[in-house]
Amino acid sequence: MLDTPEAVVEALRENNERAHGRQRTIAAEELVEAAEPFEEPDVLVTALLELMSAYEFTGEHRKAPVVFARLLKLWDTTPASFSQWEAHQVFWRFKWVTTSLLQVPEVPLASVHGWIDQMRIRYEGADHGLQPVAAMRYHVASHTGADVADAYDLWATRPRTELSDCEACETRHFAWHQVLAGDDTGALDTWRPVLAEGMGCTEEPQMSQARALLPLLRTGRLDEARSHHLTGYRRVRGNTGMQDEVGLHVEFCALWRNEGRGLEILAENRSLFEATGAPLARLDFLTGTEVLLARLAADGHDSTAVAGPPGRNWTIGELLTHIRSEAARLTRAFDDRNGTDAVSRRRQRRLNQGPLVAKPLPLGLRTSLPRQTSPTVLAATPAPAEPEAPQDFVALVREARRMAAVGHPGAERLWVRIAARLADGTAAHDDRLGPKDLLHAELAEQRAFLLAREDRHTESVAELKQATVLFEGLGMPWHALSARSRVLAWAATSVSDTQDDVAGEGQGADQATERLDADAVRAGLDEVLSEAERLKTTAPLGGGALGVGEAATEEDPAAARVLEYLTVLFSRTFAAYQDVLRGLPEPADSAVARFEESVRTLHSEAERLMVPHQVSNARQLTADVAGRRGDVERAVTELRAALQDVEASGRPWRGSRPRALLAQFLLTSNQWEEAGELLHQAIADAVRFDDRDFAMAPTHALLGHAASYLGDTNRAVRHLSEAAARFDQNGDHDEAANTRLELADVLARAGQQADAVAVLESVLSDEAAATLDERLVAQTRLTLARGLRELEEFLPAAEEFLRLADTVAAWEDEHELHTMTAAETAVTLAMAERWEAAGSAYERAVAAHAKGPRPSQITQMMCEFARLVMLARGADAVDVALDHLAQADAVRSAVPDGTEGFVPWYEAGAVHYRRARVLADAEAFPKALAEAEAAVAAYEQGGEYGEAPRAEAVRIAALVEGNGLGQFKEAIARLATAAQRARTADLAEAAQILDALRQDYQRRQQG
């Protein structure tokens, strides 16, 4: 019941602990009503201030001035009802009212100016400085566009007062003035204390982070922009008091070419479409949304579903029309009120912006925007022709044939263009190109390549078989034989049994069929090779290979036969290579022998026929097998030689794969720098030569891995983000999630924990997590929970731990994992001061420990509970804390000697250390000193590994000795010895801390 002042005050205290939102605002309104009947208005004053705060921080600017008017009346009539802090708030919140009135276009500008005049009079009457008044006049000028320079000078040149905005907020206003003046670089310099140096308040740095996004993009500081989006958006997400900031993040996504991320932000903030209490902030939100939707509509996505105002379904086109109408209405209202066009001009400038980057730059987050699928049949919608593609159809086909003959990956784009032109009727076959069936066979081969890339092997093989039939009908036996060999080689990638012996007795029919399939592939390839040997007698190969820029197939049949013959040898070798891979780590001797014989033949024949790129292919397969079997030195040697072969071939586009493979092996021996250079060149060449078949995603992931070990965090983040985005586009969602786990680790180790948490949250969105392996989800959730705890977001962290606990509870024979999860959940709940739930989790952890022992973690949990209960309840919790530590001792003493992962000296020292601190807090100083010395003795047993915790235990002993027992002489001697020991152990910071305490004691002793 709220029928006494004390009850209302207690309810106000509880409400003040809630996060700002609808629940807190409703409660604040009810508490004002409850406080009104009391004879003394002091409780009403407190309730009104609480209600005004609720309105301010949830964007209810229409209502805040009404509440303040009531406060001001009470201030004028019963000032004694205001505490010192509340009296200060009366003057402070004059500024809130000014900005609230400015937010509402129905409030005449004269009323806003009149309010500022009253603010000036009140400030002068109370002998307060007028800098805050000048700040308000500047905000009005900036909003209306009238007399901005003069207003800025009057504000910026006045000294700060105790009622000035906090330094972080004032810095934001100074920087934003520079942005509006077109000085992005100067603005970012002004913003440095907030964005880079940690200056902040309840509204900062998140408000500055949102406003700095586009200046960062415009000045090319992309890594910083990415980081501030990740961390800043988390702080404003769903906050109706930060509509304009959410709109800026949406706008940023559009101009960064991350439209999918922008749509997700809209879906997470649907409630903002209904927030009308701050019309100016609403206009900014709608404008940022319009920038995004207009870009999507221009790209043809009008009919795509999008999250809009609740209550109905929306498409992008419908929502765009709706918000344009609403935003236009608000813009007119503000311009009419202000008598200027400043608001409409600012809005139009935002809408006129184009993308600020040349291509989409990954944020590291998973987004749900459907990926653009690559064409799976050549008659599909064509990719736009590049400027260098010939317009003449005959020339186009001849160029495609020339590039295909030398293996140039850019031929794919030309074949796509050829198929599209045939399909849409803008071109027809020309007799100058030879038989029509030749072109059909070539197109079938290209369709097969594209289908194989998408793992559609059955359809791919069907296209190759069609090409084989066509080549045979054309009297081109070498081409037909080459196509047959590729059919069999690609079939080898899906064979699951590689043994040469037939299925034995007792084996199932399916397994026997698999073995027969493997045998059939090998037999088929042997038959193709025999046919090739026969063909060599009737259709000689000729004397050399086709070089770069030389004639195409139909113009140099001898050179073409060489290539097709070597393709047969490569296909046989590739199938044997697949057999070895399937048998790893111990492939059958017969499989190894067949591979070695095949690769030798390919190598020697390619050398004899002077085709260096096929020599390189033989070396690459040899290197891969050697490396996988542990002979990394041979693998590296073969790959370096393969790159020399590529250089000799005059076909630089063939260097990306051996470079990437060589880099992988160099990474295993920690040769990070050379590996990074190789990976970078591999990617650059793949882009340069339009190699769409190159494995970009894993290569970016490896490059990010190498960069992280070289300490180049920004480069690591860029490449890991790119890798994750590409894995998503390829449908490899588990690989994408694993890459984001590594990305989060890189960010966390670089001190960007909030960025890491944002990345992990995107992995665990409902839609994303549903596609992932359950254990991968669990690992991600564990990492996220720990990250949130590191950010001191204890309740969200505890919620993630509880979800994790629900998941692992279903895993049988994972008792140690159950123990770990329960222990971490208990500690985090205690940190969130959810003591009842924490106690339950504590008991679950102890029970789980009986089945799946993790003694180190359990004792750590118990020590943490001792610390946390003392922190929460002080000396009243001494007995509870000591009981936790007694339990820790019992767990520790029950651990058998030699238990893996349990270090007795460290665990004993940790319990003694914590007991010393508990006893010191209880002012039981002699017992505390004894426990601290016991901790020192325990850490002593750890040798060099115990030096750091030993130094800390000595510090506690000295604090007890000096501050608690007044034994400064003994404490000084202890500290001097310990500091010297810390220096010897290369613990400079510890020595400095110990010396500082010693010097403090010496001064106190002398004084």
Side-chain angles (χ1 to χ4, degrees):
M1 295 290 292
L2 300 175
D3 53 0
T4 66
E6 292 75 17
V8 173
V9 169
E10 181 59 30
L12 284 167
R13 185 178 295 109
E14 291 177 2
N15 199 44
N16 189 56
E17 294 176 358
R18 293 191 178 106
H20 282 290
R22 183 169 179 76
Q23 182 182 4
R24 178 168 173 173
T25 301
I26 291 173
E29 290 172 338
E30 293 173 348
L31 290 170
V32 167
E33 291 181 9
E36 285 175 336
F38 301 141
E39 183 176 350
E40 297 297 327
D42 51 344
V43 177
L44 179 59
V45 167
T46 306
L48 288 169
L49 285 167
E50 165 63 21
L51 179 57
M52 191 177 181
S53 294
Y55 286 153
E56 175 72 15
F57 291 107
T58 54
E60 293 286 354
H61 291 283
R62 293 180 183 275
K63 299 178 179 179
V66 177
V67 178
F68 189 72
R70 293 184 64 185
L71 272 170
L72 204 56
K73 184 176 180 180
L74 288 169
W75 172 252
D76 288 338
T77 57
T78 58
S81 301
F82 289 72
S83 69
Q84 185 177 356
W85 179 83
E86 289 168 340
H88 178 81
Q89 287 299 301
V90 169
F91 290 95
W92 183 269
R93 297 188 186 194
F94 266 97
K95 298 180 296 181
W96 291 11
V97 175
T98 302
T99 54
S100 291
L101 295 173
L102 207 58
Q103 281 273 346
V104 183
E106 294 85 358
V107 175
L109 203 59
S111 297
V112 180
H113 285 300
W115 180 259
I116 297 175
D117 288 340
Q118 185 180 165
M119 176 183 174
R120 177 183 58 79
I121 293 168
R122 296 270 186 171
Y123 272 45
E124 286 178 336
D127 203 24
H128 289 304
L130 296 182
Q131 193 256 15
V133 177
M136 294 303 103
R137 294 200 189 281
Y138 165 75
H139 293 325
V140 174
S142 179
H143 170 67
T144 62
D147 302 320
V148 178
D150 289 343
Y152 179 80
D153 287 342
L154 286 171
W155 166 46
T157 56
R158 287 179 179 268
R160 287 176 50 78
T161 76
E162 64 174 349
L163 289 171
S164 296
D165 283 344
C166 79
E167 287 191 67
C169 288
E170 196 163 81
T171 296
R172 177 183 76 247
H173 295 313
F174 285 136
W176 192 239
H177 176 80
Q178 291 172 284
V179 170
L180 294 177
D183 184 8
D184 287 337
T185 301
L188 293 171
D189 286 343
T190 299
W191 254 318
R192 186 179 293 110
V194 176
L195 297 179
E197 296 171 13
M199 180 190 291
C201 65
T202 57
E203 296 180 335
E204 289 294 346
Q206 57 266 35
M207 293 183 76
S208 288
Q209 286 175 314
R211 284 161 174 72
L213 291 173
L214 296 189
L216 287 166
L217 279 188
R218 289 192 291 258
T219 54
R221 293 162 64 170
L222 306 185
D223 295 315
E224 293 171 73
R226 176 196 289 112
S227 177
H228 289 307
H229 170 65
L230 294 181
T231 59
Y233 173 67
R234 287 190 73 247
R235 295 185 174 107
V236 303
R237 179 175 54 199
N239 186 341
T240 55
M242 297 227 171
Q243 281 180 284
D244 37 1
E245 282 74 23
V246 174
L248 288 168
H249 282 281
V250 173
E251 178 181 357
F252 164 78
C253 290
L255 302 181
W256 175 270
R257 293 181 179 265
N258 275 272
E259 291 89 347
R261 168 67 169 166
L263 293 178
E264 288 188 343
I265 291 175
L266 292 184
E268 292 177 338
N269 293 275
R270 293 191 76 175
S271 62
L272 299 192
F273 285 104
E274 297 182 308
T276 59
L280 186 58
R282 175 175 173 78
L283 175 60
D284 284 340
F285 168 68
L286 294 177
T287 301
T289 303
E290 186 177 345
V291 172
L292 170 69
L293 298 181
R295 279 202 48 73
L296 288 166
D299 288 341
H301 297 291
D302 280 65
S303 59
T304 300
V306 64
R312 57 159 289 187
N313 296 325
W314 297 87
T315 65
I316 284 174
E318 291 167 343
L319 183 57
L320 180 58
T321 300
H322 173 75
I323 65 171
R324 272 181 173 161
S325 174
E326 172 69 3
R329 182 189 66 78
L330 286 171
T331 301
R332 286 193 301 272
F334 279 111
D335 281 353
D336 289 346
R337 190 272 300 271
N338 299 337
T340 69
D341 64 351
V343 172
S344 57
R345 282 189 288 108
R346 275 196 294 271
R347 170 174 151 77
Q348 196 58 49
R349 278 200 299 271
R350 291 176 70 181
L351 296 176
N352 289 343
Q353 297 173 106
L356 297 174
V357 291
K359 63 178 183 178
L361 295 173
L363 295 164
L365 306 176
R366 187 191 187 280
T367 65
S368 57
L369 188 71
R371 68 185 180 96
Q372 292 189 352
T373 54
S374 57
T376 56
V377 290
L378 290 176
T381 304
E386 297 290 335
E388 67 271 16
Q391 295 302 307
D392 177 74
F393 187 69
V394 172
L396 179 65
V397 174
R398 285 178 170 168
E399 178 63 7
R401 286 173 173 169
R402 184 193 70 79
M403 295 179 75
V406 297
H408 195 298
E412 179 186 310
R413 176 178 50 80
L414 300 184
W415 287 118
V416 170
R417 181 64 178 159
I418 290 164
R421 291 189 61 181
L422 289 173
D424 66 17
T426 59
H429 183 265
D430 191 298
D431 289 342
R432 288 176 292 172
L433 297 173
K436 182 184 292 186
D437 279 354
L438 174 59
L439 185 56
H440 287 167
E442 292 166 325
L443 290 169
E445 285 187 304
Q446 294 302 315
R447 285 193 293 271
F449 295 148
L450 291 175
L451 289 163
R453 184 187 301 165
E454 297 185 351
D455 294 328
R456 296 166 64 178
H457 295 296
T458 301
E459 297 163 86
S460 176
V461 166
E463 293 289 348
L464 274 179
K465 287 180 176 178
Q466 180 186 347
T468 302
V469 171
L470 290 170
F471 282 132
E472 287 173 344
L474 290 164
M476 301 175 68
W478 278 111
H479 290 74
L481 205 59
S482 170
R484 279 176 58 196
S485 74
R486 278 177 277 145
V487 168
L488 291 162
W490 292 2
T493 63
S494 58
V495 170
S496 59
D497 191 290
T498 63
Q499 301 299 322
D500 286 328
D501 57 314
V502 296
E505 184 178 352
Q507 293 173 325
D510 289 342
Q511 188 175 357
T513 300
E514 288 173 356
R515 291 192 170 187
L516 290 173
D517 286 345
D519 291 340
V521 168
R522 289 190 286 272
L525 285 165
D526 288 344
E527 182 182 337
V528 169
L529 182 57
S530 297
E531 179 64 23
E533 294 300 323
R534 287 193 295 273
L535 266 180
K536 284 163 65 177
T537 64
T538 58
L541 295 177
L546 194 67
V548 178
E550 293 183 10
T553 301
E554 70 273 20
E555 296 169 350
D556 191 351
R561 287 195 291 271
V562 168
L563 294 178
E564 304 301 346
Y565 167 62
L566 290 175
T567 298
V568 170
L569 293 181
F570 178 81
S571 296
R572 182 170 179 266
T573 305
F574 181 77
Y577 161 79
Q578 291 293 326
D579 281 351
V580 172
L581 293 193
R582 280 191 297 275
L584 290 174
E586 296 293 337
D589 291 343
S590 57
V592 174
R594 182 179 178 85
F595 170 72
E596 290 177 347
E597 182 274 326
S598 299
V599 82
R600 272 197 308 271
T601 302
L602 173 61
H603 190 143
S604 61
E605 284 293 273
E607 280 190 335
R608 181 179 69 82
L609 294 167
M610 296 179 291
V611 184
H613 74 268
Q614 283 288 17
V615 177
S616 175
N617 286 340
R619 291 188 189 279
Q620 289 177 63
L621 293 176
T622 300
D624 194 31
V625 169
R628 289 173 186 264
R629 299 187 72 193
D631 191 351
V632 174
E633 184 176 352
R634 183 186 179 193
V636 169
T637 300
E638 289 286 349
L639 288 167
R640 294 195 190 281
L643 286 171
Q644 293 177 352
D645 293 328
V646 168
E647 186 175 355
S649 74
R651 302 179 182 193
W653 48 84
R654 293 188 176 274
S656 291
R657 286 161 183 77
R659 282 192 180 90
L661 188 56
L662 174 57
Q664 289 183 57
F665 291 123
L666 292 176
L667 289 174
T668 64
S669 56
N670 300 333
Q671 297 182 58
W672 311 108
E673 191 164 353
E674 184 182 359
E677 291 171 357
L678 287 165
L679 292 164
H680 187 272
Q681 187 173 350
I683 291 171
D685 284 349
V687 172
R688 174 186 172 195
F689 297 115
D690 197 18
D691 188 349
R692 302 179 186 186
D693 197 35
F694 180 67
M696 282 289 198
T699 307
H700 276 290
L702 285 172
L703 186 48
H705 186 65
S708 71
Y709 273 90
L710 288 169
D712 190 343
T713 299
N714 287 338
R715 190 179 180 204
V717 169
R718 285 195 296 272
H719 287 289
L720 290 170
S721 299
E722 180 71 30
R726 288 179 178 270
F727 279 128
D728 275 336
Q729 290 164 8
N730 297 337
D732 298 333
H733 297 308
D734 281 356
E735 285 296 333
N738 274 314
T739 302
R740 290 190 171 99
L741 270 173
E742 182 175 1
L743 171 59
D745 179 63
V746 168
L747 289 166
R749 284 189 284 109
Q752 297 172 241
Q753 186 64 259
D755 297 43
V757 162
V759 169
L760 295 168
E761 286 176 335
S762 78
V763 175
L764 292 176
S765 66
D766 291 342
E767 181 180 347
T771 66
L772 301 178
D773 175 78
E774 184 182 44
R775 289 182 179 267
L776 179 55
V777 170
Q779 179 60 55
T780 306
R781 199 173 299 286
L782 175 62
T783 309
L784 172 60
R786 288 171 174 170
L788 288 166
R789 188 171 62 197
E790 183 74 18
L791 292 176
E792 299 185 2
E793 297 181 27
F794 298 127
L795 190 55
E799 290 169 353
E800 293 297 338
F801 275 122
L802 288 167
R803 292 188 185 100
L804 177 63
D806 288 342
T807 299
V808 303
W811 296 352
E812 297 181 1
D813 302 322
E814 293 280 6
H815 300 303
E816 288 190 23
L817 185 57
H818 298 169
T819 304
M820 178 205 75
T821 306
E824 293 211 44
T825 303
V827 170
T828 310
L829 283 165
M831 289 176 168
E833 298 187 4
R834 297 298 193 267
W835 288 104
E836 184 175 349
S840 298
Y842 185 103
E843 292 173 4
R844 283 196 302 273
V846 173
H849 172 65
K851 293 183 178 180
R854 289 187 70 118
S856 180
Q857 189 145 27
I858 291 296
T859 56
Q860 181 183 353
M861 175 190 74
M862 292 167 170
C863 287
E864 270 296 278
F865 263 70
R867 179 182 73 85
L868 291 168
V869 296
M870 291 296 293
L871 191 65
R873 294 166 47 196
D876 292 341
V878 170
D879 290 342
V880 176
L882 292 175
D883 182 60
H884 285 305
L885 296 171
Q887 292 181 58
D889 274 333
V891 170
R892 183 173 58 81
S893 61
V895 179
D897 292 341
T899 297
E900 185 178 358
F902 187 82
V903 183
W905 63 262
Y906 180 82
E907 303 299 340
V911 177
H912 286 303
Y913 171 83
R914 181 52 54 195
R915 188 178 285 112
R917 299 205 62 166
V918 169
L919 291 167
D921 287 344
E923 299 186 359
F925 298 122
K927 292 180 179 179
L929 181 58
E931 287 294 326
E933 289 177 334
V936 172
Y939 290 134
E940 187 85 36
Q941 298 172 36
E944 62 178 306
Y945 301 105
E947 287 296 335
R950 181 190 183 281
E952 168 60 12
V954 169
R955 185 182 74 87
I956 294 301
L959 284 170
V960 171
E961 210 165 23
N963 293 341
L965 298 172
Q967 298 172 2
F968 291 109
K969 180 179 179 181
E970 292 82 351
I972 290 168
R974 184 193 298 273
L975 290 165
T977 302
Q980 182 56 48
R981 180 165 176 161
R983 279 188 286 272
T984 302
D986 200 23
L987 298 172
E989 185 177 358
Q992 203 170 25
I993 292 170
L994 294 169
D995 277 334
L997 182 57
R998 175 180 57 80
Q999 291 163 10
D1000 177 56
Y1001 279 175
Q1002 286 175 332
R1003 284 193 297 271
R1004 290 165 65 182
Q1005 190 179 38
Q1006 291 168 2

